[in-house]
Amino acid sequence: MDAAGFRPPRLGIGLVYFQELHPVYEQLDELINVVEVEPQTLWHRGPAGGPHCIDRAAYDRLAPLRQPKLLHGVGMPLVSPTPPDPRQIPAWQASIAELAPAWVSEHLAFMRARPLDPPDRRDATGRHLAPSPRDTHHAGFLLPPRQDAATARAAARQIRLLQDLSGVPVAFEIAPNYLRPQPGEMPDGLFYAEVAEQAGCGILVDLHNLWCNERNGRGRVEDVLAALPPEQVWELHVAGGQALGTYWLDAHMGGAPQEVLDIAARWIGRFPYLGAIVFEVMPTAWLTDQFDVARLHDQLTRLQTLWRRHAPPAWPRPSGPPVQRSSVRPSPEAAAPDTPSTWCDQLAALVNRRLPPAPDADRHLASDPGLDVYRRLIDSARGSVIASELTLSWRLMMLTLGPAATDALLQEFWLNVWPQPFALDEMSAFAAQVHRWQDEGRLPIPHLRSVLDYEMARARLQSPDSTDLTVIPVTFDTDPAVLLDALAQGRLPPSPLPPRHEGRHTLVLGRDKGTVTAAPGVTSAA
């Protein structure tokens, strides 16, 4: 698929899609011209490591929305040491077939890296084989690339490959970058322009990301925008954020800052083939009372006004003097020898608190204060999975050991196990670690193994990819009703339990028409 010469349709103002907010799209229908879908959030993990599959019910719910759809990937970023994960491709292509987007987009970032001691894989003739996705680790977060010529070439190859797999034009999103500019890197705008030129693709300019980058010490938004090829900017994103220490995060919480909207008003008329402006907000903004339907109505109304006043007319010819682009290039003396994959390996290791992979690891990178931002973001994401999905087990550990000791165990788990892309895999890895600690005698917490097995059984039965599971028995050394009810109320069960609750109890969990049920099994006396 060659995207050169593509002219996107003028779609207008859009909103990113989340299932939790589905009623909002119907309530604010007249203000939403396009719906942008993050397809990976509507997929299931494939059974036994096989291809991922779309959530049929979720796509059926999307279908009645009248607006055209765009696809915005969050799982196949375009700067990676390996090609796209083949397990994702069938679901990606099925999503495109279902939603018929005029174009698709993905982040100019990476999320996978090689281990510090990668396997030496060779073919029958002894030649080294390139790493496959199964040889790499999930880094836990979208991480920024090294901005040099080698990375631009590698990204262009990935973009062209994704275009071929997609059958529709591809745009890359300019992602947030919490690192300082590195020695030998291209300036931000020049790097993005280089990737776009080599790939012949579109650009999704996230204005809030650029504003974050400027606030956090990178290039000025105006300089970055001036360096971009204006005819290749197809889409803009705007969003809100929040502070983390001295940094400003692209957190998608609340409305877009006025400064971001002012930048949009100054620039959208200079992008002759701009097709859409999409507002991004997370469902958690509703949960934390930072946003509601009334405020979203106001935000979309302001964007509609901005679009009517400043958006270019359909299919114009660019007029006036050409936009001046930066001619600053890194000096040959400053050019770093790192390949894109070496950068990915080092950065992923650093943000996951692994030791640098070599004694001569990039000292500028290793001392960058932005590393701590990524660590805290990864910790928050991983910790929320354990606390929200293994709630009773986590509560039992907290009530028995106390917050400090429990947090120390979680930190140890993160050091031993890389992040997992799916919540069920993260939960399974944590459960396996807890079992090891118990086998070693480090976690003598009564009932913990049973409670953990119970919660993991429920999670596996609820997972759509576990179609081969019908029932799972879980054994308790006490009455499960008394134990689980106490933990649900935030307290430890009485100790010792009354005699009639002693002995071994089996709780049988099963799946019935998509609902997980539990029934008493065999009970024996102590």
Side-chain angles (χ1 to χ4, degrees), residues 4-40:
F6 172 68
R7 299 294 179 258
R10 284 189 78 225
L11 299 178
I13 300 303
L15 181 65
V16 69
Y17 182 81
F18 288 99
Q19 293 189 80
E20 300 92 327
L21 304 182
H22 186 89
V24 171
Y25 303 88
E26 298 170 343
Q27 294 175 50
L28 303 180
D29 174 84
E30 76 284 356
L31 293 173
I32 302 172
N33 306 123
V34 58
V35 172
E36 186 154 85
V37 178
E38 297 180 350
Q40 283 87 350

Side-chain angles (χ1 to χ4, degrees), residues 464-485:
D465 62 298
S466 301
T467 55
D468 57 323
L469 295 175
T470 55
V471 295
I472 303 177
V474 180
T475 301
F476 291 80
D477 57 4
T478 187
D479 186 337
V482 174
L483 172 61
L484 300 176
D485 183 63

Side-chain angles (χ1 to χ4, degrees), residues 393-449:
S393 304
W394 181 251
R395 189 170 292 164
L396 178 56
M397 293 175 65
M398 292 279 285
L399 290 171
T400 306
L401 302 176
T406 305
D407 184 64
L409 289 172
L410 195 60
Q411 296 282 344
E412 182 179 339
F413 165 65
W414 291 338
L415 285 174
N416 289 330
V417 181
W418 284 82
Q420 302 299 310
F422 286 91
L424 184 59
D425 294 328
E426 185 80 8
M427 295 157 60
S428 298
F430 182 71
Q433 182 69 65
V434 169
H435 286 168
R436 282 192 291 272
W437 285 330
Q438 289 202 299
D439 292 340
E440 295 166 359
R442 294 182 54 191
L443 275 182
I445 300 178
H447 319 304
L448 177 58
R449 185 181 293 265

Side-chain angles (χ1 to χ4, degrees), residues 457 460-462 466-473 508-513 515-517:
R460 292 191 178 102
L461 287 166
Q462 289 170 338
S466 301
T467 55
D468 57 323
L469 295 175
T470 55
V471 295
I472 303 177
V508 180
L509 283 78
R511 179 164 44 194
D512 180 25
K513 298 179 181 180
T515 302
V516 176
T517 61

